[in-house]
Amino acid sequence: MFETLRKTLTGLTAAAALTAIAAPAATAQEKSLLDDILARGKLIVGTGSTNAPWHFKDEQGNLVGFDIDIAKMIATGLFKDPTKIEFVEQSSDARIPNVTTGKVDITCQFMTVTAERAQQVAVTIPYYREGVGLLLKDGGKYKSFDELKAAGSGAVVSVLQNVYAEDMVHAALPEAKVDQYESVDLMYQALDSGQADASATDQSSVQWLVVKNPGKYHDSGYGWGPQSYSCAVKRGDQQWLNFVNTVLHEGMTGVDFPTYAASFKKWFGVDLPVPAIGFPVEYK
């Protein structure tokens, strides 16, 4: 009987010890940046200020763009108020360091998702699918991608100078002549002057220029080289990551779809199809 009692007490002591060890760990896991942000009363967002239509300043000096709207959606989810944000303007190479050091709560700055970056920060679900597109001038020689491709070596494409530029263009137009320029402005000037038949650039830039310059440009109707844009948060905080993912997912597919769709229309000129009712729900 005494042996049985001894074993029982020993087991209870061990269980109590394990509970004592586990309790601080559980408490640590429950502590999240999400709680700190809610207590602080504002969201601190790292972003840029020089890349339309993603993040740039309007005539009044206010930050605007699709990334800015994404950040405001997150602030609205937190506080029901899109203005409760402190924006930290940062260069592209500061996007990850400012998250990992805690200078910002989140980076929303057209960050391409790569496996290497996902080792340094936790990336959210994608909120945009970028790719390469072809900008055509209204009234130009070619009206569409099919016409450009049929032209073969007769088609001239301007592109920003890069070691991969020629291969990038030839992935879509194998026979086209590729002219590389030192700046984006020169690349578009070549299209405007007729020196180039098309400009190869980010699909989002193609859509933005069409919206900004009605009657001047149009999209060729073809894109390639897909990549994902996501926000980034510090690794190890699943609650904060889950919250941001919920906001983005419901913006693209759920109750906040009208807000997301209105921003998409404003900056890219595209009317998004209303998400299908029922399960499963798909988003792009």
Side-chain angles (χ1 to χ4, degrees), residues 18-283:
L18 287 172
T19 301
I21 293 172
T27 302
Q29 288 175 0
E30 291 171 3
K31 181 65 175 175
S32 171
L33 179 59
L34 173 59
D35 301 310
D36 294 338
I37 294 169
L38 291 170
R40 184 200 303 146
K42 68 177 179 180
L43 175 68
I44 302 175
V45 179
T47 193
S49 60
T50 58
N51 294 279
W54 294 96
H55 38 261
F56 64 106
K57 291 187 177 179
D58 63 14
E59 294 179 354
Q60 290 73 43
N62 300 312
L63 276 174
V64 294
F66 194 63
D67 280 335
I68 306 306
D69 288 350
I70 291 296
K72 288 180 177 179
M73 286 178 60
I74 298 169
T76 300
L78 288 164
F79 307 110
K80 297 183 179 180
D81 185 343
T83 68
K84 290 192 173 183
I85 298 181
E86 176 186 333
F87 285 110
V88 175
E89 295 180 36
Q90 59 188 21
S91 60
S92 293
D93 58 6
R95 290 177 296 188
I96 289 177
N98 282 353
V99 167
T100 58
T101 59
K103 183 175 182 178
V104 300
D105 301 324
I106 186 170
T107 279
C108 297
Q109 193 175 352
F110 67 1
M111 192 181 81
T112 301
V113 178
T114 67
E116 181 181 1
R117 285 174 174 167
Q119 296 174 43
Q120 302 172 68
V121 290
V123 294
T124 66
I125 60 174
Y127 60 87
Y128 185 84
R129 289 286 282 167
E130 186 63 280
V132 184
L134 291 163
L135 182 70
L136 298 177
K137 188 177 179 182
D138 285 0
K141 189 187 303 184
Y142 306 109
K143 306 282 190 298
S144 66
F145 170 77
D146 289 338
E147 290 185 11
L148 280 170
K149 192 167 186 179
S153 60
V156 180
V157 178
S158 63
V159 66
L160 186 64
Q161 193 173 56
N162 187 287
V163 292
Y164 306 107
E166 192 156 337
D167 289 340
M168 179 188 72
V169 173
H170 285 161
L173 298 169
E175 300 176 30
K177 182 178 184 295
V178 180
D179 286 345
Q180 300 188 40
Y181 293 86
E182 294 181 354
S183 73
V184 172
D185 288 342
L186 291 175
M187 177 183 78
Y188 294 138
Q189 285 177 23
L191 177 63
D192 292 342
S193 66
Q195 295 178 60
D197 301 307
S199 290
T201 187
D202 290 342
Q203 184 65 44
S204 58
S205 296
V206 170
Q207 294 170 321
W208 165 243
L209 288 169
V210 171
V211 170
K212 188 180 178 183
N213 302 279
K216 183 177 182 179
Y217 300 119
H218 65 275
D219 188 344
S220 75
Y222 181 76
W224 71 102
Q227 55 186 309
S228 300
Y229 283 172
S230 292
C231 297
V233 299
K234 194 172 184 179
R235 287 179 53 188
D237 191 339
Q238 193 63 46
Q239 290 186 47
W240 176 225
L241 178 62
N242 286 349
F243 176 83
V244 177
N245 281 342
T246 297
V247 172
L248 295 178
H249 185 270
E250 295 313 301
M252 291 183 286
T253 68
V255 294
D256 295 318
F257 175 75
T259 301
Y260 178 86
S263 177
F264 208 95
K265 173 68 173 180
K266 178 178 181 178
W267 302 115
F268 306 121
V270 176
D271 289 305
L272 295 176
V274 176
I277 305 302
F279 185 86
V281 174
E282 295 183 359
Y283 64 91

